[in-house]
Amino acid sequence: INTEIMARREARKMSAELFAFTYGSLVTQLLEDYEQAEDVNKQLHTMGFNMGTRMVDDFLASAGQDRCHTFKDVCNVLARDGFRMFLGVTPIVTNWVEDTQCTLVLEDNPLTMFVELPEEQSDIQYCSLISGAIRGALESINYRTEVTIVKDILKGDHATEFCIKLVERLEDRAAPEDE
């Protein structure tokens, strides 16, 4: 294997580990700032949503991806290319329901690498940042969705799973004209 490729893989791995540690610190701070797990979950989801809306621009600028024409295409590109680009992993897309709902199965979740949730924090949805980022990214490209965590490796499941349900396809909005 080419040394340049190996160096890139090692850099991605280090970036994922740094992100995991930094994210853990962020969650810890939110737990100190908010008394209710529900409030922490909302904050993580909102942060993820905001990140997702910005990640789309970065992804489209660097991936050279052609326009996707269906929700199914979008979810497959998100899993195959988007997750790999930003988290260094590729989830499995499965459980399609009428091309409007699917499940992303993340067997190797970099956010949960060094984490154990204490029993008293069992209501925390630690990966809400990811579900928010998925929702934000999809809304940026005119797909309003609901994204929920259906399985969580931190709660004893074999993988982290996100259900993505298409709520509506938004119309393309024209850019506002300069005055």
Side-chain angles (χ1 to χ4, degrees), residues 20-40:
F21 283 127
T22 305
Y23 183 66
S25 297
L26 171 72
V27 173
T28 300
Q29 185 62 50
L30 288 174
L31 287 168
E32 291 175 13
D33 293 347
Y34 296 92
E35 293 183 17
Q36 301 296 320
E38 184 178 327
D39 295 332
V40 172

Side-chain angles (χ1 to χ4, degrees), residues 65 75-85 89-91 93:
Q65 177 64 43
C75 289
N76 285 322
V77 168
L78 171 73
R80 184 187 65 233
D81 300 328
F83 269 80
R84 186 177 65 231
M85 181 176 180
V89 295
T90 304
V93 184

Side-chain angles (χ1 to χ4, degrees), residues 159-171:
T160 304
E161 295 185 11
F162 302 91
C163 177
I164 305 173
K165 181 179 180 183
L166 177 62
V167 174
E168 73 177 304
R169 175 78 163 107
L170 304 170
E171 296 297 318

